[in-house]
């Protein structure tokens, strides 16, 4: 088991997942942003580093039928599965490291909230980008949120890579068009403010 997997498994095993800094009680706003892309409801959507996030719940409610949730920590996914109950059978679950996971394709929407920024080794970042470019559909979207340049330098005791939209575009390489980016403040359960850069990009393919 890799150090990365051990770290994240212990986070979900030892902490209250509703008290971790990234917890969001409600993902309706994100689901509405995804709806605004006007994708057919049988489009393949992958949530990278989904953990125990409630985004899958919101997207199931919206009627998306090809949802894939991937995380390196099995326990994070199990929390989501138990919360969903029978509806968990309508999601494809992948317990894997995104940089070497077997992924479905073609992905219409690659969603990542606060997973990519944990990759600080350029070789790992490029492995992530290879996965993205290999599995994203032509015309596919990337919705990615990472800590902003002036945001936190660490999360879950790990150093992160901070981004703005220009740096993200450079990291992803040619072929991506930035549709929209903005900085947003996330308020943690402990009341701290964290600045995120939210980016929506589209791949020419
Ligand atoms: C800060 S949490 C965000 C969780 C979720 N996206 C949310 O918004 O609630 C980061 C998540 O990414 C997962 N993660 C970290 N590195 C990963 C990797 N290399 N491959 C897959 N998942 C990873 C962690 O296990 C954790 O669930």
């Amino acid at each position: 088991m890799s150090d990365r997997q051990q770290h994240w498994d212990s986070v979900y095993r030892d902490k209250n997942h509703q008290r971790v800094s990234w917890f969001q009680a409600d993902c309706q706003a994100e689901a509405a942003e995804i709806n605004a892309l006007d994708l057919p409801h049988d489009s393949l959507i992958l949530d990278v580093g989904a953990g125990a996030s409630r985004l899958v719940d919101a997207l199931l409610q919206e009627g998306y039928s090809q949802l894939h949730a991937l995380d390196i920590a099995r326990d994070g996914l199990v929390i989501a599965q138990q919360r969903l109950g029978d509806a968990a059978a309508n999601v494809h679950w992948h317990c894997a490291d995104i940089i070497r996971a077997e992924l479905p394709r073609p992905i219409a929407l690659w969603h990542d909230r606060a997973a990519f920024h944990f990759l600080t080794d350029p070789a790992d970042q490029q492995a992530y980008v290879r996965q993205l470019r290999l599995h994203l559909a032509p015309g596919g979207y990337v919705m990615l949120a990472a800590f902003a340049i002036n945001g936190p330098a660490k999360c879950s005791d790990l150093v992160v890579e901070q981004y703005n939209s220009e740096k993200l575009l450079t990291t992803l390489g040619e072929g991506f068009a930035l549709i929209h980016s903005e900085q947003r403040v996330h308020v943690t359960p402990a009341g701290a403010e964290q600045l995120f850069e939210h980016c929506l990009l589209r791949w020419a393919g």
Side-chain angles (χ1 to χ4, degrees), residues 4-5 7-9 11-12 20-24 27 30 47-55 70-74 76-77 94 96-100 111-119 128 147 155-156 158 196:
R4 193 179 281 153
Q5 190 174 2
H7 172 85
W8 288 107
D9 270 337
V11 166
Y12 286 105
V20 293
S21 59
W22 57 91
F23 177 69
Q24 274 186 310
C27 294
E30 259 176 310
D47 191 15
V48 177
S53 165
R54 299 175 181 203
L55 182 63
L70 178 144
D71 203 281
I72 199 166
R74 188 172 301 280
L77 297 176
H94 306 259
D97 187 328
I98 186 58
I99 67 175
R100 53 183 67 92
H111 179 274
D112 179 328
R113 174 177 179 267
F116 180 53
H117 66 195
F118 288 107
L119 300 176
Y128 178 106
F147 280 162
C155 176
S156 187
L158 300 174
F196 273 84

Side-chain angles (χ1 to χ4, degrees), residues 132-184:
L132 174 59
R133 298 177 76 100
L134 196 60
H135 295 91
L136 197 61
Y141 291 95
V142 179
M143 203 176 262
L144 194 146
F147 280 162
I149 299 286
N150 44 347
K154 280 183 141 190
C155 176
S156 187
D157 295 329
L158 300 174
V159 172
V160 302
E161 185 84 39
Q162 299 162 313
Y163 286 92
N164 57 21
S165 56
E166 293 78 18
K167 181 173 167 183
L168 182 63
L169 272 170
T170 304
T171 308
L172 296 187
E174 283 180 1
F176 286 92
L178 181 67
I179 297 176
H180 181 74
S181 71
E182 66 181 55
Q183 293 201 333
R184 290 185 200 162

